[in-house]
Amino acid sequence: MIEDVNPFVYSHPVSPEDVVDREEEVRALLRNVVGGHYVRLYAPRKYGKTSLLKLALHEGERNEGLIPVLVDLYRVSSIADVTVRLERAYAKQLKGEVRRRVEAFLQRTGVGLSLGAFGISARLQLEPTRDVLPALHALLELPLRLEAAGGYRAFVVFDEFQDIGRIEGLDGLLRSHIQHHGEVASYVFAGSEPGLMRLLFETKDRPLYGSAVPMRLGRLADPDIAAYVAARFEATRRSAGEALNPLLGAAQGHPQRTMLLAHRLWEEVRPAADATLADWEAADAAAMRELEPEFDAQWRGLDTSQQKTLRAILLGSGSPYRSAALRRLELTKDVVRRALPRLAATAEIEEREGGGHAIVDPLFARWIERLNDPPDEADEGYTEPDR
């Protein structure tokens, strides 16, 4: 049996007990939820958004008596997709007498819904052209049924909510239901693409305009990361030693990159040993090798103006308008002005406190820096990315 297990998970959202010091954010979110407010939560991808949401749902159920429902809307593309995701979310969470009452209601609707195995997804396999809109209306009204089943308040989270923008009219349909749920449910709309989230909530002619309290998830603080990493090394008979500070510097508070680097460092350290700088260098190199295909694909997905603007941000230490950077990259200020909003809309960059811009992913920034200051081409193992 394997007992010496790496404690740092970076490949998927972590369980509530493993979330790194997000107590303040969870309290702020729950205060709004319990107060009957709707919240739109934004965080760049891999910032621990889903992990935080799961923790908030767990705390809301345990401490506030809420019925937690997490609906994953990642890459939904149709009304049928949304209906299936919503049905499965309720099926996963509801239990006991509440589940039995809701199941009885769904069966009485006659639209093919069920919290068991033969719900709308099974019906769609048999009848692909079936109209699912009545089923979606019934599911969106479930918070009212929960309240009627015993005075329960629903805490419904729509994760990757920006993807509903692909489905014409869905935000209006959703608003037509939730605007009447203030006494029976609270909703959190979470997204990872700020441009699309702003389009849904800050455009005056959109149905959800101004309907949710904005909240942004920030980077982790170095002291919190240090305590978390050190404690898990010690719990597995190791020490982060002199590698801890360079790890903090490389991660720059990015939650997923922190876990990746800590995972790689742990792999380099033997039981009962302290991590050395040599261990850190090996771990760092292993992490960058692992990310090479991801970063190459990410880079190729950007157009030339976006690529050059990212390079200019690095050359200009946060300011892409510096003359030296513009000359070197054969870039104009007008091109930069057009590229910056597009990069911000997809969370490739963010504004820094005090002005200027930063690339959200610190390891992607280091990867791009190879273009600005490439090593000797004879260096073993170096392959310059396509410009």
Side-chain angles (χ1 to χ4, degrees), residues 243-261:
L244 184 56
N245 283 336
L247 186 154
L248 296 175
Q252 294 182 25
H254 189 293
Q256 193 271 350
R257 297 316 190 202
T258 296
M259 293 300 104
L260 168 60
L261 293 170

PDB file of all heavy atoms in Angstrom, residues 243-261:
ATOM      1  N   ALA A 243      14.064  26.154  -0.035  1.00  0.00           N
ATOM      2  CA  ALA A 243      13.353  26.251  -1.315  1.00  0.00           C
ATOM      3  C   ALA A 243      12.041  27.025  -1.195  1.00  0.00           C
ATOM      4  O   ALA A 243      11.452  27.396  -2.215  1.00  0.00           O
ATOM      5  CB  ALA A 243      13.055  24.849  -1.846  1.00  0.00           C
ATOM      6  N   LEU A 244      11.593  27.313   0.029  1.00  0.00           N
ATOM      7  CA  LEU A 244      10.288  27.934   0.194  1.00  0.00           C
ATOM      8  C   LEU A 244      10.235  29.343  -0.394  1.00  0.00           C
ATOM      9  O   LEU A 244       9.295  29.699  -1.106  1.00  0.00           O
ATOM     10  CB  LEU A 244       9.898  27.965   1.676  1.00  0.00           C
ATOM     11  CG  LEU A 244       8.501  28.513   1.986  1.00  0.00           C
ATOM     12  CD1 LEU A 244       7.420  27.753   1.230  1.00  0.00           C
ATOM     13  CD2 LEU A 244       8.229  28.443   3.492  1.00  0.00           C
ATOM     14  N   ASN A 245      11.245  30.155  -0.117  1.00  0.00           N
ATOM     15  CA  ASN A 245      11.214  31.534  -0.624  1.00  0.00           C
ATOM     16  C   ASN A 245      11.239  31.613  -2.147  1.00  0.00           C
ATOM     17  O   ASN A 245      10.460  32.380  -2.730  1.00  0.00           O
ATOM     18  CB  ASN A 245      12.360  32.348  -0.017  1.00  0.00           C
ATOM     19  CG  ASN A 245      12.050  32.762   1.417  1.00  0.00           C
ATOM     20  OD1 ASN A 245      10.885  32.842   1.809  1.00  0.00           O
ATOM     21  ND2 ASN A 245      13.087  33.015   2.195  1.00  0.00           N
ATOM     22  N   PRO A 246      12.106  30.871  -2.837  1.00  0.00           N
ATOM     23  CA  PRO A 246      12.026  30.931  -4.296  1.00  0.00           C
ATOM     24  C   PRO A 246      10.704  30.398  -4.857  1.00  0.00           C
ATOM     25  O   PRO A 246      10.244  30.863  -5.895  1.00  0.00           O
ATOM     26  CB  PRO A 246      13.216  30.095  -4.774  1.00  0.00           C
ATOM     27  CG  PRO A 246      13.688  29.322  -3.599  1.00  0.00           C
ATOM     28  CD  PRO A 246      13.305  30.125  -2.396  1.00  0.00           C
ATOM     29  N   LEU A 247      10.097  29.450  -4.166  1.00  0.00           N
ATOM     30  CA  LEU A 247       8.785  28.971  -4.599  1.00  0.00           C
ATOM     31  C   LEU A 247       7.749  30.100  -4.516  1.00  0.00           C
ATOM     32  O   LEU A 247       6.960  30.308  -5.451  1.00  0.00           O
ATOM     33  CB  LEU A 247       8.347  27.784  -3.732  1.00  0.00           C
ATOM     34  CG  LEU A 247       7.056  27.065  -4.123  1.00  0.00           C
ATOM     35  CD1 LEU A 247       7.090  25.620  -3.639  1.00  0.00           C
ATOM     36  CD2 LEU A 247       5.798  27.734  -3.544  1.00  0.00           C
ATOM     37  N   LEU A 248       7.766  30.844  -3.401  1.00  0.00           N
ATOM     38  CA  LEU A 248       6.839  31.962  -3.257  1.00  0.00           C
ATOM     39  C   LEU A 248       7.066  33.007  -4.341  1.00  0.00           C
ATOM     40  O   LEU A 248       6.112  33.558  -4.908  1.00  0.00           O
ATOM     41  CB  LEU A 248       6.993  32.608  -1.877  1.00  0.00           C
ATOM     42  CG  LEU A 248       6.648  31.742  -0.658  1.00  0.00           C
ATOM     43  CD1 LEU A 248       6.975  32.493   0.627  1.00  0.00           C
ATOM     44  CD2 LEU A 248       5.192  31.334  -0.680  1.00  0.00           C
ATOM     45  N   GLY A 249       8.330  33.275  -4.646  1.00  0.00           N
ATOM     46  CA  GLY A 249       8.640  34.259  -5.673  1.00  0.00           C
ATOM     47  C   GLY A 249       8.182  33.837  -7.048  1.00  0.00           C
ATOM     48  O   GLY A 249       7.704  34.655  -7.840  1.00  0.00           O
ATOM     49  N   ALA A 250       8.290  32.554  -7.349  1.00  0.00           N
ATOM     50  CA  ALA A 250       7.887  32.050  -8.662  1.00  0.00           C
ATOM     51  C   ALA A 250       6.359  31.985  -8.790  1.00  0.00           C
ATOM     52  O   ALA A 250       5.804  32.279  -9.849  1.00  0.00           O
ATOM     53  CB  ALA A 250       8.483  30.670  -8.901  1.00  0.00           C
ATOM     54  N   ALA A 251       5.669  31.602  -7.712  1.00  0.00           N
ATOM     55  CA  ALA A 251       4.218  31.429  -7.766  1.00  0.00           C
ATOM     56  C   ALA A 251       3.471  32.751  -7.800  1.00  0.00           C
ATOM     57  O   ALA A 251       2.386  32.845  -8.392  1.00  0.00           O
ATOM     58  CB  ALA A 251       3.747  30.600  -6.574  1.00  0.00           C
ATOM     59  N   GLN A 252       3.988  33.778  -7.151  1.00  0.00           N
ATOM     60  CA  GLN A 252       3.384  35.111  -7.119  1.00  0.00           C
ATOM     61  C   GLN A 252       1.905  35.079  -6.730  1.00  0.00           C
ATOM     62  O   GLN A 252       1.074  35.811  -7.267  1.00  0.00           O
ATOM     63  CB  GLN A 252       3.556  35.812  -8.471  1.00  0.00           C
ATOM     64  CG  GLN A 252       5.000  36.119  -8.802  1.00  0.00           C
ATOM     65  CD  GLN A 252       5.170  36.850 -10.118  1.00  0.00           C
ATOM     66  OE1 GLN A 252       4.259  37.530 -10.592  1.00  0.00           O
ATOM     67  NE2 GLN A 252       6.326  36.726 -10.725  1.00  0.00           N
ATOM     68  N   GLY A 253       1.577  34.204  -5.801  1.00  0.00           N
ATOM     69  CA  GLY A 253       0.221  34.167  -5.278  1.00  0.00           C
ATOM     70  C   GLY A 253      -0.800  33.497  -6.167  1.00  0.00           C
ATOM     71  O   GLY A 253      -1.997  33.475  -5.849  1.00  0.00           O
ATOM     72  N   HIS A 254      -0.358  32.930  -7.297  1.00  0.00           N
ATOM     73  CA  HIS A 254      -1.285  32.241  -8.204  1.00  0.00           C
ATOM     74  C   HIS A 254      -1.621  30.876  -7.605  1.00  0.00           C
ATOM     75  O   HIS A 254      -0.745  30.032  -7.430  1.00  0.00           O
ATOM     76  CB  HIS A 254      -0.626  32.069  -9.570  1.00  0.00           C
ATOM     77  CG  HIS A 254      -1.538  31.578 -10.641  1.00  0.00           C
ATOM     78  ND1 HIS A 254      -2.092  30.311 -10.631  1.00  0.00           N
ATOM     79  CD2 HIS A 254      -2.000  32.174 -11.777  1.00  0.00           C
ATOM     80  CE1 HIS A 254      -2.839  30.152 -11.719  1.00  0.00           C
ATOM     81  NE2 HIS A 254      -2.805  31.262 -12.423  1.00  0.00           N
ATOM     82  N   PRO A 255      -2.901  30.602  -7.280  1.00  0.00           N
ATOM     83  CA  PRO A 255      -3.223  29.388  -6.517  1.00  0.00           C
ATOM     84  C   PRO A 255      -2.802  28.083  -7.176  1.00  0.00           C
ATOM     85  O   PRO A 255      -2.136  27.249  -6.547  1.00  0.00           O
ATOM     86  CB  PRO A 255      -4.748  29.478  -6.367  1.00  0.00           C
ATOM     87  CG  PRO A 255      -5.034  30.938  -6.408  1.00  0.00           C
ATOM     88  CD  PRO A 255      -4.073  31.492  -7.407  1.00  0.00           C
ATOM     89  N   GLN A 256      -3.180  27.868  -8.441  1.00  0.00           N
ATOM     90  CA  GLN A 256      -2.867  26.581  -9.062  1.00  0.00           C
ATOM     91  C   GLN A 256      -1.372  26.426  -9.304  1.00  0.00           C
ATOM     92  O   GLN A 256      -0.823  25.334  -9.126  1.00  0.00           O
ATOM     93  CB  GLN A 256      -3.637  26.424 -10.373  1.00  0.00           C
ATOM     94  CG  GLN A 256      -3.640  25.020 -10.935  1.00  0.00           C
ATOM     95  CD  GLN A 256      -2.446  24.738 -11.857  1.00  0.00           C
ATOM     96  OE1 GLN A 256      -1.697  25.651 -12.227  1.00  0.00           O
ATOM     97  NE2 GLN A 256      -2.271  23.478 -12.236  1.00  0.00           N
ATOM     98  N   ARG A 257      -0.708  27.504  -9.709  1.00  0.00           N
ATOM     99  CA  ARG A 257       0.737  27.413  -9.947  1.00  0.00           C
ATOM    100  C   ARG A 257       1.488  27.170  -8.643  1.00  0.00           C
ATOM    101  O   ARG A 257       2.515  26.498  -8.623  1.00  0.00           O
ATOM    102  CB  ARG A 257       1.250  28.679 -10.639  1.00  0.00           C
ATOM    103  CG  ARG A 257       0.665  28.927 -12.037  1.00  0.00           C
ATOM    104  CD  ARG A 257       0.602  27.691 -12.894  1.00  0.00           C
ATOM    105  NE  ARG A 257       0.256  27.971 -14.290  1.00  0.00           N
ATOM    106  CZ  ARG A 257      -0.249  27.087 -15.120  1.00  0.00           C
ATOM    107  NH1 ARG A 257      -0.530  25.842 -14.696  1.00  0.00           N
ATOM    108  NH2 ARG A 257      -0.503  27.405 -16.373  1.00  0.00           N
ATOM    109  N   THR A 258       0.955  27.693  -7.538  1.00  0.00           N
ATOM    110  CA  THR A 258       1.540  27.402  -6.237  1.00  0.00           C
ATOM    111  C   THR A 258       1.512  25.912  -5.952  1.00  0.00           C
ATOM    112  O   THR A 258       2.519  25.309  -5.532  1.00  0.00           O
ATOM    113  CB  THR A 258       0.779  28.149  -5.129  1.00  0.00           C
ATOM    114  OG1 THR A 258       0.926  29.562  -5.302  1.00  0.00           O
ATOM    115  CG2 THR A 258       1.291  27.762  -3.750  1.00  0.00           C
ATOM    116  N   MET A 259       0.343  25.284  -6.177  1.00  0.00           N
ATOM    117  CA  MET A 259       0.207  23.857  -5.904  1.00  0.00           C
ATOM    118  C   MET A 259       1.084  23.025  -6.833  1.00  0.00           C
ATOM    119  O   MET A 259       1.673  22.017  -6.425  1.00  0.00           O
ATOM    120  CB  MET A 259      -1.250  23.435  -6.040  1.00  0.00           C
ATOM    121  CG  MET A 259      -2.186  24.020  -4.992  1.00  0.00           C
ATOM    122  SD  MET A 259      -1.748  23.583  -3.288  1.00  0.00           S
ATOM    123  CE  MET A 259      -1.003  25.130  -2.746  1.00  0.00           C
ATOM    124  N   LEU A 260       1.179  23.437  -8.098  1.00  0.00           N
ATOM    125  CA  LEU A 260       2.021  22.715  -9.047  1.00  0.00           C
ATOM    126  C   LEU A 260       3.483  22.757  -8.611  1.00  0.00           C
ATOM    127  O   LEU A 260       4.173  21.723  -8.587  1.00  0.00           O
ATOM    128  CB  LEU A 260       1.864  23.329 -10.440  1.00  0.00           C
ATOM    129  CG  LEU A 260       2.877  22.886 -11.503  1.00  0.00           C
ATOM    130  CD1 LEU A 260       2.832  21.382 -11.740  1.00  0.00           C
ATOM    131  CD2 LEU A 260       2.640  23.642 -12.812  1.00  0.00           C
ATOM    132  N   LEU A 261       3.971  23.938  -8.266  1.00  0.00           N
ATOM    133  CA  LEU A 261       5.379  24.060  -7.868  1.00  0.00           C
ATOM    134  C   LEU A 261       5.656  23.322  -6.561  1.00  0.00           C
ATOM    135  O   LEU A 261       6.700  22.675  -6.413  1.00  0.00           O
ATOM    136  CB  LEU A 261       5.746  25.540  -7.737  1.00  0.00           C
ATOM    137  CG  LEU A 261       5.746  26.327  -9.055  1.00  0.00           C
ATOM    138  CD1 LEU A 261       5.873  27.822  -8.780  1.00  0.00           C
ATOM    139  CD2 LEU A 261       6.871  25.855  -9.973  1.00  0.00           C
TER     140      LEU A 261
END
